[in-house]
Amino acid sequence: MRRLPVYLLLDTSGSMTGEPIEAVKNGVQMMISSLRQNPQAIETAFLSVITFDTTAQQIIPLTDLASFQMVDLKATGVTALGEALKLTAHKIETEVAKTTTEQKGDWKPLVFIMTDGIPTDNWESGLNEFKKVKTAYTVACAAGGGADTAILKQITDTVVSLDTADSASIGKFFQWVTASIGVTSTKIEDLGKEFTNVKELPPPPSELNIIV
């Protein structure tokens, strides 16, 4: 059984306090409920949540959708995005099965990053670690005007921004992530092909501005 690993990197720094963090929690819950209705996603998608504030931690290891239980998120501290990238690289190395001559490994992971601020640690060294692992694609979302899209563009070519980090905008981002995971799991189940072209994702809703 080849899994489709999905890593969510969520900013839980102090500036996310209040409506933004609640919107993220609701967004993840909505995403899980929706993906559980998708027969292909429930077969293949495995989800992990990594949060970053003053430090980064994996609060949920790679888990199948049926068993996935969201935990409470608290917003506090600063924005250790570099540490989150390094931790994600380590988890991809240890949790994702590699293809060998004997067996096909897992599909390349999808990584979704959401942040409302500017990294407060050495994000370049974290990015160097992250670049060593193979992902299908990475999407970074700048929530509100406080995030630096230029930094996110160095992490991935696929950067979207939300004008505001309110519940409506964040909800739309998670709806798009849900659709993207759904489309990817359907494609690999139906075609059995690695999926690396972000252009094949569903078009983002109007609330998401694509940064080119």
Side-chain angles (χ1 to χ4, degrees), residues 113 115 138-164 173 176 198-199 203-212:
I113 302 166
T115 180
T138 300
V139 174
C141 173
D148 186 336
T149 53
I151 290 177
L152 297 178
K153 278 301 269 194
Q154 293 182 61
I155 298 171
T156 174
D157 289 337
T158 311
V159 177
V160 295
S161 73
L162 304 173
D163 293 335
T164 51
F173 172 68
W176 181 60
V198 88
K199 293 190 176 64
S206 57
E207 287 82 355
L208 292 183
N209 312 304
I210 297 185
I211 308 292
V212 289

Side-chain angles (χ1 to χ4, degrees), residues 45-212:
F46 279 63
L47 211 63
S48 167
V49 177
I50 288 174
T51 57
F52 56 98
D53 38 65
T54 306
T55 57
Q57 54 180 336
Q58 186 184 45
I59 57 168
I60 300 175
L62 218 45
T63 303
D64 65 280
L65 290 172
S67 322
F68 187 92
Q69 293 283 328
M70 190 52 184
V71 296
D72 196 28
L73 299 177
K74 297 271 185 285
T76 174
V78 290
T79 313
L81 177 58
E83 200 181 316
L85 291 170
K86 195 175 290 182
L87 178 60
T88 306
H90 172 66
K91 293 299 178 187
I92 288 174
E93 280 293 320
T94 52
E95 292 180 333
V96 177
K98 306 224 178 358
T99 296
T100 64
T101 46
E102 282 81 48
Q103 62 158 25
K104 289 221 185 284
D106 292 328
W107 300 101
K108 283 186 192 148
L110 317 181
V111 178
F112 295 94
I113 302 166
M114 179 175 204
T115 180
D116 75 332
I118 293 169
T120 49
D121 64 350
N122 183 347
W123 62 271
E124 287 102 334
S125 82
L127 179 56
N128 288 338
E129 293 295 311
F130 183 68
K131 286 200 157 150
K132 291 177 191 166
V133 294
K134 296 280 186 289
T135 62
Y137 52 82
T138 300
V139 174
C141 173
D148 186 336
T149 53
I151 290 177
L152 297 178
K153 278 301 269 194
Q154 293 182 61
I155 298 171
T156 174
D157 289 337
T158 311
V159 177
V160 295
S161 73
L162 304 173
D163 293 335
T164 51
D166 62 11
S167 54
S169 303
I170 289 174
K172 288 287 185 198
F173 172 68
F174 278 101
Q175 280 174 13
W176 181 60
V177 171
T178 305
S180 300
I181 297 168
V183 162
T184 309
S185 58
T186 302
K187 281 214 164 106
I188 57 181
E189 285 272 313
D190 292 352
L191 305 173
K193 278 211 309 258
E194 205 61 86
F195 171 79
T196 53
N197 187 348
V198 88
K199 293 190 176 64
E200 295 175 52
L201 290 184
S206 57
E207 287 82 355
L208 292 183
N209 312 304
I210 297 185
I211 308 292
V212 289

